């Protein structure tokens, strides 16, 4: 299984066009940028940057910070392949347990020190040691002592067992500056979490200038970035501003202070911005979906018939065509994972009579039922979905208690089954380019306690199928397991799979170079963009 500078085609990944989670930019400086000018853009995010620490991030804003300030062993191409990055090549042992990565020798951290294999080994040990965020992918299969650096340019991982998606998670194994972090660590903070949470300590294309957790963040271009800046006029500075209010976003656009909108705005806002001089409308499909997550461990969604009733009471066509334009979802896995997708699964059906029949089969039949529904406060389309669901559910005897919450509050509530709302609206996308990212993060018992797993499914059969797929290296066999797994999950109805959104983005006409990458926020690495007002 020797692999030299190989491009790992991920099993069953033939993604066509999608965006995991976008942001906004501002073109206030777009009109007169010349080669000598420094280009500064404003990027509006829907959510706050709750952490800048690569060992703790779980959402699109956190990953946006990571991909701009850090470099991984590998990265992901627009076609969904794992390709070289810090590692120029790698070898895999015949038994599939030992992965040896051979590093480039020209990479420096942002403070000018060389990136060594020991930094990467320490960074992955740190990820496992902190045991938060993406660590759940590897924490029980990779012991710290089995992460080694035999020399300055070689990193070796010896797994406890075969794990077929291992290469798919290597982009999140980013290099942190061990010397810098340990110098700023405290006696009760061996991993320097306080420091990394508010500073950049990587080798990435941008470094941190300022960070206000609840309001904004500014990053600036690293002129010595090892991949260089040869795509045209680079983006020198990015200022992230958090707001999800449509009126505010439109006002920024009218002033010429907006470059790329978020994906969470109302349709009228996109159309309005697209008509403004100096803007364009981008549309892409997604690799994930907009989902109503149902807590299977709490009243009344602990009953499968209630969950099915909610699914039948969902007007999918209104969502697709009016509220949040997109395409049918056929279960928990996007159809863009072509070979792994179970095409026998039908899209959801809006049928209030069937909804009433399901409710009559539940243990709550004949009772007054009150259902809590949460969504990200100020997201216009989610508010519209909640109101639509409220009207539909009323017709079958369920009262919907709508509770919009700030995103950080939803993340907090999701940590325990008793505090997780009975239903919550979220956009779910792969955090690494493999079907496993959609199954493990949402449905495996060991992944519970995050916003991605608010179903609290806790099902031994589902766990077993996910584990079996993870241990299978034969692609055809793995895809067969994935298809069986999808049907099992659909039968349990832990979610309402509402729509595969046609992601719409209002963008500055000067901003060039966007390409979809099927991994959360990896397409928002601003070193991939350039500034050219002569196009479009």
């Amino acid at each position: 299984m020797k692999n030299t500078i190989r491009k790992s085609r991920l099993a069953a990944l033939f993604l066509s066009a999608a965006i995991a989670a976008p942001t906004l930019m501002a073109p206030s400086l777009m009109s007169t940028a010349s080669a000598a000018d420094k280009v500064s853009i404003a990027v509006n995010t829907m959510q706050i940057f709750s952490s800048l620490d690569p060992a703790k991030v779980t959402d699109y804003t956190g990953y946006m910070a990571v991909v701009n300030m850090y470099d991984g062993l590998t990265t992901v191409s627009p076609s969904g392949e794992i390709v070289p990055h810090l590692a120029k090549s790698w070898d895999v042992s015949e038994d599939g347990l030992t992965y040896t990565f051979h590093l480039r020798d020209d990479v420096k951290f942002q403070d000018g020190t060389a990136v060594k294999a020991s930094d990467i080994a320490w960074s992955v040990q740190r990820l496992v040691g902190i045991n938060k965020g993406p660590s759940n992918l590897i924490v029980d299969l990779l012991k710290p002592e089995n992460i080694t650096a035999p020399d300055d340019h070689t990193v070796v991982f010896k797994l406890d067992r075969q794990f077929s998606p291992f290469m798919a998670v290597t982009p999140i194994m980013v290099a942190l500056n061990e010397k810098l972090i340990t110098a700023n660590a405290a006696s009760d903070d061996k991993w320097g979490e306080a420091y990394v949470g508010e500073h950049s300590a990587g080798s990435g294309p941008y470094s941190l200038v300022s960070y206000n957790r609840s309001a904004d963040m500014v990053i600036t271009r690293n002129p010595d970035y090892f991949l260089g800046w040869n795509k045209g006029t680079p983006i020198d500075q990015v200022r992230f501003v958090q707001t999800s209010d449509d009126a505010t976003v439109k006002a920024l656009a009218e002033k010429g202070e907006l470059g790329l909108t978020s994906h969470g705005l109302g349709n009228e806002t996109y159309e309005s911005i697209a008509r403004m001089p100096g803007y364009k409308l981008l549309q892409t499909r997604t690799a994930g979906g907009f989902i109503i997550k149902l807590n299977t461990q709490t009243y009344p969604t602990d009953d499968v018939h209630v969950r099915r009733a909610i699914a039948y009471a969902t007007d999918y066509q209104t969502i697709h065509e009016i509220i949040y334009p997109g395409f049918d979802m056929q279960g928990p896995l996007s159809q863009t994972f072509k070979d792994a997708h179970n095409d026998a699964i039908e899209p959801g059906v809006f049928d209030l009579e069937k909804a009433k029949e399901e409710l009559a089969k539940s243990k709550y039949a004949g009772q007054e039922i009150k259902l809590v529904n949460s969504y990200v406060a100020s997201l216009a389309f989610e508010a519209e979905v909640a109101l639509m669901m409220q009207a539909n559910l009323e017709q079958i005897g369920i009262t919907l208690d709508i509770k919009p919450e700030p995103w950080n509050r939803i993340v907090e509530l999701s940590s325990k089954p008793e505090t997780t709302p009975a239903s919550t609206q979220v956009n779910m996308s792969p955090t690494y380019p493999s079907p496993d990212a959609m199954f493990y993060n949402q449905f495996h018992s060991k992944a519970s306690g995050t916003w991605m797993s608010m179903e609290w499914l806790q099902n031994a059969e589902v766990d077993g199928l996910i584990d079996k797929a993870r241990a299978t290296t034969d692609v055809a066999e793995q895809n067969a397991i994935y298809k069986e797994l999808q049907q099992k999950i659909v039968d349990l109805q832990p979610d309402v799979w509402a729509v595969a959104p046609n992601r719409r983005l209002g963008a500055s006409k000067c901003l060039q170079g966007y390409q979809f990458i099927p991994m959360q926020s990896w397409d928002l690495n601003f070193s991939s963009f350039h500034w050219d007002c002569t196009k479009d």
Side-chain angles (χ1 to χ4, degrees), residues 215-521:
D216 57 39
M217 183 177 78
V218 179
I219 58 176
T220 190
R221 184 168 66 92
N222 173 10
D224 299 321
Y225 188 50
F226 75 98
L227 290 180
W229 299 91
N230 55 7
K231 298 181 177 69
T233 302
I235 309 301
D236 290 285
Q237 187 178 83
V238 182
R239 181 171 60 90
F240 300 95
V241 181
Q242 190 274 320
T243 183
S244 53
D245 178 69
D246 283 53
T248 301
V249 174
K250 283 196 288 186
L252 288 170
E254 287 167 352
K255 295 176 183 177
E257 297 177 359
L258 185 68
L260 180 69
T261 68
S262 77
H263 65 281
L265 304 174
N267 291 326
E268 188 277 331
T269 301
Y270 292 116
E271 293 164 5
S272 176
I273 291 174
R275 291 192 296 268
M276 296 180 187
Y279 287 90
K280 58 189 174 184
L281 185 64
L282 305 176
Q283 299 192 67
T284 63
R285 287 198 64 171
T286 66
F290 175 63
I291 298 167
I292 303 175
K293 289 180 174 283
L294 305 175
N295 183 349
T296 65
Q297 303 298 315
T298 196
Y299 161 89
T301 46
D302 56 345
D303 189 297
V304 68
H305 297 291
V306 173
R307 301 196 295 270
R308 290 172 183 165
I310 295 168
Y312 277 123
T314 302
D315 187 346
Y316 301 93
Q317 185 174 359
T318 295
I319 296 174
H320 296 179
E321 296 182 0
I322 300 173
I323 299 176
Y324 199 25
F327 308 87
D328 284 327
M329 290 187 73
Q330 294 174 251
L333 187 67
S334 170
Q335 294 96 313
T336 51
F337 291 94
K338 293 180 180 178
D339 290 352
H341 186 263
N342 186 338
D343 294 334
I345 295 172
E346 296 291 332
V349 175
F350 177 44
D351 190 326
L352 291 178
E353 291 306 313
K354 287 186 177 180
K356 292 175 183 177
E357 291 173 10
E358 286 292 341
L359 203 58
K361 298 176 185 177
S362 77
K363 62 184 178 183
Y364 301 111
Q367 302 179 26
E368 291 186 7
I369 300 176
K370 190 173 185 179
L371 176 70
V372 173
N373 178 263
S374 290
Y375 65 87
V376 180
S378 79
L379 288 187
F381 80 92
E382 292 193 1
E384 291 180 42
V385 170
L387 290 171
M388 180 202 74
M389 293 299 298
Q390 187 178 58
N392 292 347
L393 290 169
E394 184 179 13
Q395 296 181 62
I396 67 170
I398 295 178
T399 300
L400 192 67
D401 182 11
I402 299 173
K403 292 188 175 181
E405 301 277 7
W407 175 248
N408 58 322
R409 177 60 177 163
I410 288 177
V411 172
E412 180 183 344
L413 291 171
S414 69
S415 63
K416 298 177 182 178
E418 58 268 24
T419 59
T420 300
S423 64
T424 309
Q425 302 177 43
V426 300
N427 269 296
M428 181 69 196
S429 297
T431 54
Y432 48 99
S434 166
D436 182 71
M438 299 302 288
F439 296 125
Y440 184 84
N441 285 330
Q442 295 187 90
F443 305 116
H444 199 287
S445 297
K446 291 181 179 179
S448 295
T450 76
W451 68 268
M452 290 181 281
S453 59
M454 287 187 284
E455 297 86 353
W456 293 97
L457 195 55
Q458 308 294 294
N459 184 281
E461 290 183 56
V462 169
D463 291 349
L465 287 170
I466 294 172
D467 290 338
K468 185 177 179 182
R470 293 180 132 210
T472 301
T473 56
D474 181 89
V475 172
E477 182 181 350
Q478 187 180 62
N479 287 337
I481 297 169
Y482 284 145
K483 291 175 182 179
E484 180 183 357
L485 176 60
Q486 288 163 72
Q487 187 60 60
K488 177 65 178 176
I489 292 170
V490 168
D491 291 342
L492 294 169
Q493 194 76 64
D495 296 312
V496 175
W497 297 286
V499 60
N502 180 23
R503 196 65 53 85
R504 306 178 81 187
L505 303 165
S508 163
K509 288 187 176 180
C510 295
L511 190 67
Q512 313 297 337
Y514 173 78
Q515 285 186 293
F516 156 71
I517 294 176
M519 181 166 171
Q520 188 160 197
S521 298

Side-chain angles (χ1 to χ4, degrees), residues 129-164:
I130 291 176
N131 195 18
K132 294 180 181 179
S135 68
N136 64 359
L137 302 172
I138 59 172
V139 73
D140 63 347
L141 105 130
L142 190 57
K143 294 184 176 66
E145 60 268 26
N146 290 331
I147 305 168
T148 59
D151 58 55
D152 284 349
H153 303 297
T154 308
V155 182
V156 179
F157 301 96
K158 187 172 183 179
L159 311 187
D160 288 350
R161 62 182 184 281
Q162 284 193 344
F163 178 59
S164 58

Side-chain angles (χ1 to χ4, degrees), residues 83-159:
V83 295
H85 197 54
L86 293 181
K88 60 184 180 181
S89 64
W90 50 89
D91 308 319
V92 184
S93 63
E94 291 296 332
D95 61 8
L97 296 177
T98 302
Y99 290 73
T100 302
F101 292 85
H102 308 286
L103 307 183
R104 299 175 62 125
D105 60 6
D106 58 347
V107 185
K108 293 182 179 180
F109 287 115
Q110 291 160 358
D111 67 358
T113 60
V115 174
K116 297 181 180 180
S118 57
D119 291 297
I120 297 175
W122 180 83
S123 299
V124 180
Q125 289 167 351
R126 181 180 185 274
L127 175 65
V128 173
I130 291 176
N131 195 18
K132 294 180 181 179
S135 68
N136 64 359
L137 302 172
I138 59 172
V139 73
D140 63 347
L141 105 130
L142 190 57
K143 294 184 176 66
E145 60 268 26
N146 290 331
I147 305 168
T148 59
D151 58 55
D152 284 349
H153 303 297
T154 308
V155 182
V156 179
F157 301 96
K158 187 172 183 179
L159 311 187

